[in-house]
Amino acid sequence: MVTTNGRTGGGGADDRASGRENGQWYPPEWPDRIRRLAHGELEPVPPRRASTVLLLRTGADGALAVHMLRRRTSMAFAGGAYAYPGGAVDPRDERDVPWAGPSPREWAARLGVEPEVAQAVVCAAVRETFEEAGVLLAGPDPATVVADTTGAEWEADRAALAGHELSFGDFLERRGLLLRSDLLGGWARWITPEFEPRRYDTWFFVAALPDGQRTAGVSTEADRAVWIRPAEAVAGYDRGELLMMPPTVSTLRALLPYEDVPAVLASAGERDLTPVLARARLVGEEIVLSWPGHEEFTKHLSSGPPHTPATATPGADA
């Protein structure tokens, strides 16, 4: 079952990726950009750090469900695709914030980065989850979590954070809350291909929906929010009904063996966080695009004459 803001529904005509054998997001200008990169005509853009969270709950039927958002078609990056709450690290995420749980140094060892980077990545994960889903992984002390984030004042804070009018540290301090880093589990890490005009080095986390909290309405970047079983989301992608990027599909497939949220969280510490980066190479008259370790996404593309897209090049506003 898919629950959409209290309603039940599946992928409709507006979800269908026409002309695809599945729902893999594939911008038409990729071959041209890949060819230019191979010929030294395109300089890779340095990726920005980003975080995204697979927010999980066990439904009344006992089935594991994940919260997903459909990005508005007007978005430059992956418009119309289903994704998780998340976004780029903000410079203000690097400042000290009230903190509980594993320290930035401990997270640095897990994520393979410096402590200040780990702090910013974890802070971005918690901040973006609140901005885009209205769920706050924070509490007044290290053992509790905010039970209710609904109401006009909370919505005003969400809007101020999303509008960069309020830093997450100031928000937590004003409300007397601690970021609960122990509520997150590292799950995966993917880097946008080198031929993309906007690139992100994204850490994927898993987290349970806190007791008493519920997801809010869609954000300015999304036009649909759903709780969906991972198997149902994957099936929709395989049928070409739900448009998704490779990292989204891969992380969904990784959830399939688990029956409930505790099982997912218990396994997070054993997940391999080696970054996945697509490779593109010219083989004769063909472009071979692959994601190492994820053969299902391999594509064999024509390397014919340069292609001029009719629409703006998709970028990234994760």
Side-chain angles (χ1 to χ4, degrees):
M1 176 185 293
V2 181
T3 56
T4 312
N5 297 332
R7 298 187 299 275
T8 300
D14 56 347
D15 295 318
R16 191 171 302 276
S18 60
R20 293 182 178 84
E21 59 185 10
N22 57 29
Q24 184 175 340
W25 179 68
Y26 174 69
E29 53 278 344
W30 270 8
D32 183 41
R33 296 189 64 84
I34 291 170
R35 187 169 41 248
R36 290 169 57 198
L37 179 67
H39 293 159
E41 301 169 359
L42 188 67
E43 186 71 24
V45 176
R48 294 178 62 189
R49 297 185 182 98
S51 302
T52 190
V53 177
L54 285 70
L55 193 61
L56 307 169
R57 74 179 186 188
T58 303
D61 59 356
L64 177 70
V66 60
H67 184 64
M68 303 190 75
L69 305 171
R70 184 176 62 187
R71 297 174 63 82
R72 295 183 185 276
T73 55
S74 59
M75 296 296 293
F77 180 66
Y82 282 80
Y84 314 113
V89 169
D90 186 290
R92 291 174 297 181
D93 293 329
E94 299 172 4
R95 59 152 287 189
D96 289 339
V97 299
W99 190 283
S103 68
R105 185 168 297 277
E106 291 174 285
W107 271 108
R110 177 71 179 112
L111 302 180
V113 295
E114 296 299 317
E116 57 271 21
V117 174
Q119 175 190 295
V121 168
V122 170
C123 185
V126 177
R127 174 182 54 76
E128 288 283 346
T129 302
F130 180 59
E131 286 183 21
E132 296 198 356
V135 172
L136 184 58
L137 304 176
D141 59 64
T144 58
V145 185
V146 172
D148 185 8
T149 57
T150 60
E153 292 184 358
W154 288 105
E155 286 302 306
D157 283 340
R158 281 183 69 201
L161 286 166
H164 304 284
E165 301 166 3
L166 175 68
S167 75
F168 197 58
D170 289 343
F171 161 72
L172 293 175
E173 289 174 356
R174 177 163 55 77
R175 287 190 171 269
L177 299 174
L178 303 172
L179 180 153
R180 289 283 307 275
S181 78
D182 57 312
L183 300 181
L184 291 169
W187 196 250
R189 181 182 176 186
W190 289 66
I191 301 177
T192 310
E194 292 181 330
F195 49 82
E196 272 282 34
R198 298 182 181 90
R199 303 182 60 219
Y200 292 86
D201 182 354
T202 305
W203 280 265
F204 289 71
F205 296 89
V206 290
L209 177 69
D211 291 341
Q213 291 193 39
R214 63 177 185 269
T215 52
V218 295
S219 68
T220 57
E221 297 184 359
D223 62 8
R224 189 176 187 223
V226 301
W227 281 101
I228 187 170
R229 298 171 186 165
E232 188 173 356
V234 167
Y237 165 86
D238 287 339
R239 292 191 301 266
E241 295 173 352
L242 301 183
L243 181 65
M244 298 181 200
M245 294 172 283
T248 310
V249 180
S250 174
T251 49
L252 281 171
R253 291 198 195 280
L255 292 176
L256 296 181
Y258 302 98
E259 295 183 356
D260 55 29
V261 178
V264 175
L265 299 180
S267 69
E270 302 174 359
R271 295 281 302 174
D272 183 4
L273 299 186
T274 302
V276 179
L277 174 63
R279 294 175 180 170
R281 53 196 175 92
L282 297 179
V283 181
E285 298 298 317
E286 188 176 59
I287 295 171
V288 179
L289 176 60
S290 63
W291 282 259
H294 301 270
E295 286 73 17
E296 74 163 298
F297 304 122
T298 299
K299 284 188 174 293
H300 297 263
L301 312 168
S302 169
S303 61
H307 164 85
T308 302
T311 57
T313 301
D317 185 7

